[in-house]
Amino acid sequence: MDQVKIGRFIARQRKLNGYTQEQLAQKLGITKNAVSKWERGLGLMDLSQLRPLSRLLNVSVNDILAGEKIDD
């Protein structure tokens, strides 16, 4: 998995959905520093965050893990 690619994808989708890092963090019950870390490719979310994150960003878990939209 390419953490930088995933981070860029999360940032892009977050912005498309109109969330700030802080708003997304609040919805997930985490700190905005954690979201910032993901978006900079410095770490990945806990697996328990994947499904809620995918719902908030309106993408699939597979899209997040690939760092891009995957055609079905």
Side-chain angles (χ1 to χ4, degrees):
M1 284 187 286
D2 184 338
Q3 290 185 69
V4 173
K5 185 176 180 183
I6 292 169
R8 287 184 187 140
F9 179 74
I10 291 170
R12 188 170 47 254
Q13 294 304 313
R14 172 181 60 76
K15 292 171 188 172
L16 285 172
N17 284 280
Y19 296 121
T20 64
Q21 286 182 341
E22 190 164 351
Q23 289 169 327
L24 184 62
Q26 286 177 342
K27 289 186 177 292
L28 292 170
I30 59 174
T31 66
K32 80 172 187 174
N33 289 340
V35 174
S36 174
K37 193 182 242 187
W38 302 343
E39 291 184 0
R40 291 180 290 139
L42 300 177
L44 293 173
M45 71 290 306
D46 184 88
L47 289 177
S48 66
Q49 296 295 328
L50 266 175
R51 192 72 194 134
L53 180 62
S54 73
R55 287 187 192 118
L56 288 168
L57 299 181
N58 296 308
V59 296
S60 72
V61 168
N62 287 338
D63 292 342
I64 293 172
L65 294 176
E68 63 187 354
K69 287 267 196 172
I70 299 173
D71 295 326
D72 291 331

